[in-house]
Amino acid sequence: SQTIHQWPATLVQPVGSPLSLECTVEGTSNPNLYWYRQAAGRGLQLLFYSVGIGQISSEVPQNLSASRPQDRQFILSSKKLLLSDSGFYLCAWSVPGQPRTAEAFFGQGTRLTVV
Amino acid sequence: DAKTTQPNSMESNEEEPVHLPCNHSTISGTDYIHWYRQLPSQGPEYVIHGLTSNVNNRMASLAIAEDRKSSTLILHRATLRDAAVYYCILNGRDNQGGKLIFGQGTELSVKP
């Protein structure tokens, strides 16, 4: 069966420090991969998505970047964190080739607090 | 992207049915209607999706209006574990990569 791993679960980082969040998927090949952020309150904002190795689409300009060095690995990074980067970060995957019907599976999230 | 409109919050009593509405008046003919829910401090989980016909699964039912400009997610007997934020999302033909664009959703509270 397919599983998604996201770590760490919580993270407290000082302003100006770098960030690296990792997400891996098991049990499937060539998944579509996504990074979302949820600020305090509701509303998930799509940050990046990827349909293959090295293929990254950015949805909003910001202080973050994403990379997909391997088929089932998706990394979210920042060189210098801002206070506004605080939030709940979620990684997700879906089966490719079914853009209108595929179910998305979410990880458990990383709660990032920038201090 | 076609947008959806949902009430900000709803209340229900335990063991009673819940009808969560969603308006999507600008839906196109190829847009699927998806519902996800997010329990506190967790990632969203898929609930159900449909195109034109009503759909049922073990979690819920989806009733789609004949003109497809609105839909209703039906929880047949609400439990305390159904307290969550419910998101109605449209997923269309030009959706590259199958990405989901979430709105604000409806926060459902369930009273014992």
Side-chain angles (χ1 to χ4, degrees):
Chain A
S1 63
Q2 302 93 351
T3 55
I4 180 169
H5 301 280
Q6 189 182 344
W7 65 94
T10 60
L11 191 59
V12 180
Q13 291 284 99
V15 169
S17 64
L19 173 74
S20 181
L21 300 180
E22 188 166 341
C23 170
T24 60
V25 180
E26 295 178 358
T28 187
S29 296
N30 195 32
N32 292 328
L33 294 171
Y34 314 91
W35 277 112
Y36 286 87
R37 177 172 63 196
Q38 188 169 37
R42 302 207 297 270
L44 285 89
Q45 181 184 37
L46 178 64
L47 301 175
F48 301 95
Y49 71 94
S50 172
V51 298
I53 296 174
Q55 300 178 60
I56 310 294
S57 296
S58 174
E59 288 295 293
V60 288
Q62 60 216 322
N63 187 40
L64 301 167
S65 62
S67 62
R68 184 171 178 173
Q70 299 181 45
D71 181 41
R72 291 169 290 173
Q73 183 185 30
F74 207 22
I75 298 172
L76 183 69
S77 303
S78 173
K79 292 182 179 177
K80 288 186 177 182
L81 283 169
L82 307 172
L83 287 174
S84 57
D85 292 324
S86 294
F88 190 41
Y89 287 81
L90 289 154
C91 180
W93 73 273
S94 69
V95 173
Q98 304 172 20
R100 291 186 294 157
T101 59
E103 174 183 348
F105 300 89
F106 285 79
Q108 290 301 300
T110 295
R111 193 162 299 282
L112 171 67
T113 304
V114 182
V115 296
Chain B
D1 292 330
K3 296 192 182 301
T4 63
T5 303
Q6 299 178 252
N8 196 47
S9 61
M10 291 184 64
E11 281 189 351
S12 172
N13 294 317
E14 196 175 13
E15 299 190 4
E16 290 186 355
V18 182
H19 290 234
L20 297 162
C22 181
N23 287 322
H24 29 77
S25 58
T26 59
I27 191 171
S28 76
T30 57
D31 286 346
Y32 277 78
I33 302 159
H34 291 243
W35 284 83
Y36 282 73
R37 73 178 186 180
Q38 185 177 18
L39 302 173
S41 298
Q42 294 189 26
E45 63 175 344
Y46 167 84
V47 178
I48 202 167
H49 77 271
L51 183 62
T52 55
S53 303
N54 295 343
V55 184
N56 301 296
N57 66 21
R58 63 174 180 80
M59 289 182 70
S61 295
L62 177 59
I64 301 173
E66 198 167 329
D67 64 4
R68 301 209 326 124
K69 295 188 176 188
S70 65
S71 61
T72 303
L73 181 71
I74 302 166
L75 308 179
H76 295 285
R77 287 182 72 228
T79 70
L80 297 178
R81 288 172 294 181
D82 291 322
V85 179
Y86 288 78
Y87 297 96
C88 169
I89 302 165
L90 300 184
N91 210 350
R93 175 190 303 176
D94 57 354
N95 179 6
Q96 296 181 13
K99 60 190 180 190
L100 298 173
I101 305 300
F102 288 78
Q104 292 300 305
T106 296
E107 184 169 15
L108 174 67
S109 57
V110 181
K111 296 186 288 185

